[in-house]
Amino acid sequence: MATSTGRIEIKLRKVSQLFNTLDPSPFRESELALEAEDYIVARAQELPIDASIAIVIHLPSDELSRASASDIVIAVKDHFDLRSQAMTREMRDLFRNGRFSLAVGLSILSLCLVLGWLLLRKMDESPVSWILQESFLIFGWVAIWKPSDIFLYEWPPMARRRALFRRLAAADVNLDSDTPWDLSSLKEKKDVNAM
């Protein structure tokens, strides 16, 4: 079954609009401008997950002749590949922190359960002993909240974002030369329409 292709089209006046102007690297190693990345990512999120992505960058022909088309294509693909790698590192750090938090949280929960049980055995059953036992139990459950949050809720959005960056790194990037407007012919059309 053939998958569809989703097109993301960007119309620019200058190549510099696509890249971070504070980055002194040549195009091949430049970062995309935040606005350009946000636009591409937002459009990609609207596409079906199984659709391949084609990014079409429209530039005036004079701008396109100044820049190397292959450098621009490689820069766009490399940018999203680097973003995917950065997201992989973030997820690795998140899971490392999650494992540490889980070990600490389970230790504290176990200690709190044992303390609550010992407290109940040493004290007569009274509202005070019951409150203390429940307090230990609640504190123990609070201690495992962070690892539970990491392993249940924090990593899935990161995994989806990484998958999106991987799709964008694999996207078919094309440059299209927009023909500049001929202002005299545009004026003639207006004059004819006015008659």
Side-chain angles (χ1 to χ4, degrees), residues 40-51:
I40 293 169
V41 168
R43 293 299 160 275
Q45 287 173 329
E46 295 170 359
L47 300 174
I49 291 176
D50 60 342

Side-chain angles (χ1 to χ4, degrees), residues 7-187:
R7 284 173 61 99
I8 299 172
E9 299 200 35
I10 307 170
K11 191 166 186 171
L12 304 171
R13 290 184 314 278
K14 295 185 175 207
V15 175
S16 60
Q17 290 177 284
L18 190 60
F19 297 101
N20 182 352
T21 53
L22 298 177
D23 188 354
S25 306
F27 286 141
R28 216 176 258 266
E29 300 157 16
S30 291
E31 278 188 358
L32 289 186
L34 184 60
E35 297 83 9
E37 179 185 327
D38 288 346
Y39 177 81
I40 293 169
V41 168
R43 293 299 160 275
Q45 287 173 329
E46 295 170 359
L47 300 174
I49 291 176
D50 60 342
S52 58
I53 298 174
I55 301 172
V56 181
I57 301 168
H58 300 277
L59 286 164
S61 53
D62 60 329
E63 271 295 303
L64 199 53
S65 64
R66 284 187 217 146
S68 167
S70 63
D71 284 348
I72 295 170
V73 169
I74 290 169
V76 170
K77 292 171 90 59
D78 284 353
H79 174 82
F80 288 111
D81 186 47
L82 289 171
R83 296 288 282 133
S84 167
Q85 291 173 28
M87 195 58 67
T88 298
R89 286 190 299 275
E90 280 184 48
M91 288 179 66
R92 196 177 304 125
D93 289 344
L94 180 72
F95 284 125
R96 187 181 311 118
N97 291 337
R99 287 189 299 272
F100 177 75
S101 298
L102 183 62
V104 170
L106 287 175
S107 300
I108 291 172
L109 176 62
S110 301
L111 179 65
C112 287
L113 290 173
V114 168
L115 287 173
W117 178 74
L118 288 173
L119 184 69
L120 191 62
R121 289 193 65 199
K122 296 288 183 193
M123 294 178 72
D124 294 332
E125 283 195 34
S126 66
V128 173
S129 65
W130 184 80
I131 289 171
L132 289 173
Q133 183 188 20
E134 289 299 312
S135 297
F136 279 122
L137 183 63
I138 291 168
F139 183 75
W141 284 115
V142 167
I144 64 164
W145 172 254
K146 182 64 177 173
S148 300
D149 184 47
I150 289 171
F151 290 120
L152 295 176
Y153 304 112
E154 279 193 43
W155 74 268
M158 293 175 77
R160 284 192 297 274
R161 192 135 178 104
R162 180 179 64 179
L164 181 63
F165 287 145
R166 285 179 176 169
R167 285 177 62 209
L168 288 167
D172 185 25
V173 180
N174 296 302
L175 299 181
D176 184 29
S177 173
D178 283 344
T179 308
W181 289 99
D182 182 357
L183 296 178
S184 60
S185 65
L186 188 62
K187 186 175 183 239

